[in-house]
Amino acid sequence: MHFSMIAASIAATAGLAAAAPLVEARQGRPPANFYLQSKVKSQSPKDLGSNKQDLWLSSYHTGAGLGAATFFPNKSSAAVASLNATGDIYQTAFKLGDYEWPMAVQYGPYQTMESVTISVAGDQDNFGFYFNDNGLQWNYTEFTGWAACDFWYSGSPSLFATVSTNKNADLPVSCSEIELVAVAA
């Protein structure tokens, strides 16, 4: 009788061990180094601007040490990212040259969309990112998702965080709701 209980315990433990990688995948752990790629949500309103599907995120230089989170069509233009942890809080950092530049959501009161930077001058919101089944998320109570919008910086779409402070507002017609998925570097 004890043997069958031991055997059942070993079988159950082996089953849990085999399931462990699946649990990690559901929790959305990205590779150590990854690129962020855009995936347009199927329910996204009709975007009258440029294509936002399968673009690669990088930083577009806007000033000394400053950059806007901008998408490019070629993977060769993408910046390699990683998650840096301080306790349970994560920072998404991009390797640009010899330095890691943090991604940050810029605060804007009463806005539906907040600009995102990849810059040495990140503000207090550069911590609080995590991954789930829908890709990169921002750990902010008002966060509702990501948008890629045609913008004037580079002729390529820029990244914005959408927030629920103005629930009746629609995205501009040059924007698509997107997910940011990790692709191993």
Side-chain angles (χ1 to χ4, degrees):
M1 181 168 159
H2 290 297
F3 179 76
S4 63
M5 289 175 63
I6 292 170
S9 177
I10 291 171
T13 303
L16 288 174
L22 295 176
V23 171
E24 286 183 10
R26 281 190 212 114
Q27 291 174 346
R29 294 177 187 243
N33 294 299
F34 55 90
Y35 298 104
L36 285 175
Q37 186 179 35
S38 67
K39 296 293 179 187
V40 175
K41 290 184 173 182
S42 61
Q43 74 275 15
S44 187
K46 180 70 175 153
D47 181 346
L48 301 177
S50 66
N51 174 40
K52 310 297 189 307
Q53 180 71 15
D54 296 327
L55 299 177
W56 302 93
L57 192 63
S58 191
S59 180
Y60 180 79
H61 178 77
T62 59
L66 305 174
T70 305
F71 291 100
F72 298 94
N74 300 317
K75 188 176 181 180
S76 61
S77 299
V80 175
S82 61
L83 283 181
N84 298 327
T86 301
D88 291 333
I89 300 173
Y90 292 91
Q91 175 191 62
T92 304
F94 290 84
K95 183 79 169 161
L96 297 168
D98 294 332
Y99 303 99
E100 285 193 347
W101 292 25
M103 183 169 118
V105 178
Q106 303 301 300
Y107 175 72
Y110 310 110
Q111 293 182 183
T112 302
M113 299 170 33
E114 298 184 3
S115 62
V116 179
T117 62
I118 298 173
S119 172
V120 295
D123 65 10
Q124 75 252 11
D125 290 328
N126 63 354
F127 281 91
F129 295 100
Y130 66 95
F131 279 85
N132 67 15
D133 292 340
N134 297 318
L136 184 70
Q137 305 296 312
W138 180 35
N139 190 24
Y140 177 63
T141 56
E142 301 293 325
F143 176 73
T144 59
W146 301 108
C149 301
D150 293 330
F151 211 53
W152 62 83
Y153 283 135
S154 66
S156 296
S158 293
L159 177 64
F160 292 85
T162 58
V163 293
S164 62
T165 54
N166 186 355
K167 294 179 172 70
N168 296 325
D170 291 325
L171 288 177
V173 296
S174 67
C175 297
S176 286
E177 295 176 47
I178 63 166
E179 294 177 345
L180 291 173
V181 298
V183 176

